[in-house]
Structures are given as structure tokens and as C-alpha cells.
């Protein structure tokens, strides 16, 4: 069995789920975690953030429910309103990080969201991935180059297809996938680590 974490780096609820995922991976260090990027802000939804009028209210709810904090630099992006969230670029960056350290994908997904939601860094810039990689002890230049490589764009498209194949309709979604490829939903949107543990136990995971 493995976990499949389908998230979008520009999704506030995915950011709020990061502490739960961290706790699950801490409790179950031998359980593999595959990270798949979703496509929340693509196509016609790739517009200035001011057009999503619900963002600040949603963020307040996320903070209340999960305890995550939104940094001052991010809040300035919201206040300005011109920033465009591009999930395709974020998925390319996640693919570049994942390629550098596949066994640390869950950790790196959390670090990527910290870069945006705490530090206000654009996930469309190679420099952001260099910084995230270096902070994680990885080769920042190599990750930045991988972000720009067409192979990462192809990986992003594969992630979007994989998310659709799992039938994911909301981010984040945490799945348990058995050796036969059967997927069971463990959490959508928000759940605590104890909730996820109970669902894993019901599947016979030890």
C-alpha cells in the first residue's frame, strides 16, 4: 500500500493540510507517499488573484481550522491583487523537486507551499525552486534548470491526467492505493492525522 497525495500548490486548503500530512509521514515512515499535482488554476482560471474575492475569507477559515499561518509577504500579494496563480507552473516546479528527491516529495510539497503562503514567492519563477531546493539541501541550480526543462511540463500534464484518473474533484485529496491499484479516499479538504489513521487502520494498514 502507498499514499497518493493529490494537491495543488496554489490551493489554500492544501496548505492547511500540510501539518496533517507531515504527521502521517512521521508516524508511518515506511509508508510510501506519491505526490501528484492538480490543475486548480489553469486555462480560464489563470487570472489576477483579485478576481477570487473569497480568498481572504477562505484563508481565515483555513487558519482557524488547521492552525497554519499566512505570511505578511503573501498578504501583500493578496492586497495588491494583480498576482496570477498558475498551477501548470507550480506543477512543473513540483515535478522538478520530486525528480531531485522522490522519497522526499511530501516534505518538498509542504516547503513549496511555505514559499508561497509564508514568503509570498511566485511559483512561476525558477529562483523560487532554487531557494526551496537549497533550503532542503538539494542542488538548487539543477532544480531550477529542471523547472525550465520541457520534461517538467510533460510531467505536469501527466500529473493532471493522473488526478483526473483518480476521480479527484477537490484539493487536497489523500488516497490509499493498494498493490492492485485500488484507491480509497482517506481525506478531502481537511482532516486530522488521527482521522486518517483510523481510516488506514480500517483498511488493515499497520
Amino acid at each position: 500500500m502507498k499514499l497518493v497525495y493529490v494537491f495543488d500548490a496554489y490551493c489554500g486548503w492544501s496548505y492547511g493540510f500540510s501539518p496533517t500530512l507531515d504527521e502521517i509521514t512521521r508516524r508511518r515512515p515506511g509508508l510510501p507517499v506519491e505526490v501528484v499535482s492538480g490543475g486548480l488554476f489553469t486555462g480560464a482560471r489563470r487570472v489576477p488573484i483579485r478576481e477570487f474575492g473569497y480568498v481572504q475569507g477562505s484563508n481565515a477559515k483555513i487558519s482557524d481550522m488547521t492552525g497554519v499561518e499566512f505570511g505578511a509577504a503573501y498578504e501583500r500579494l493578496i492586497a495588491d491583487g494583480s498576482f496570477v496563480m498558475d498551477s501548470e507552473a507550480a506543477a512543473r516546479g513540483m515535478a522538478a523537486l520530486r525528480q531531485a528527491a522522490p522519497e522526499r516529495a511530501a516534505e518538498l510539497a509542504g516547503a513549496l507551499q511555505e514559499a508561497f503562503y509564508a514568503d509570498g514567492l511566485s511559483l512561476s519563477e525558477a529562483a523560487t525552486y532554487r531557494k526551496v531546493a537549497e533550503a532542503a539541501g538539494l542542488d538548487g541550480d539543477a532544480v531550477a534548470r529542471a523547472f525550465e526543462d520541457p520534461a517538467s511540463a510533460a510531467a505536469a500534464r501527466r500529473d493532471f491526467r493522473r488526478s483526473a484518473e483518480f476521480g479527484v474533484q477537490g484539493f487536497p485529496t489523500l488516497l490509499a492505493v493498494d498493490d492492485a491499484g485500488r484507491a480509497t479516499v482517506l481525506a478531502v479538504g481537511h482532516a486530522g492525522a488521527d482521522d486518517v489513521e483510523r481510516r488506514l487502520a480500517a483498511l488493515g494498514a499497520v
Side-chain angles (χ1 to χ4, degrees), residues 45-68:
R45 286 178 59 82
R46 199 159 37 187
V47 296
I49 203 167
R50 70 170 64 91
E51 297 194 21
F52 301 100
Y54 57 81
V55 169
Q56 287 172 311
S58 179
N59 289 348
K61 185 175 181 181
I62 292 165
S63 289
D64 287 344
M65 292 184 67
T66 70
V68 297

Side-chain angles (χ1 to χ4, degrees), residues 10 41-42 46 83-92 123-124:
Y10 278 126
F41 297 104
T42 58
R46 199 159 37 187
F83 183 77
V84 176
M85 296 181 289
D86 182 349
S87 291
E88 191 273 342
R92 285 193 285 121
L123 304 186
S124 294

Side-chain angles (χ1 to χ4, degrees), residues 5-11 14 35-42 86-92 94 98 155-164 168 170-173:
Y5 179 55
V6 187
F7 88 126
D8 192 289
Y10 278 126
C11 168
S14 294
V35 175
V36 176
S37 293
L40 184 57
F41 297 104
T42 58
D86 182 349
S87 291
E88 191 273 342
R92 285 193 285 121
M94 185 65 232
R98 189 173 58 203
R157 290 191 294 271
R158 286 194 299 272
D159 274 14
F160 294 167
R161 286 196 299 271
R162 190 154 170 75
S163 173
V168 170
F171 306 112
T173 293

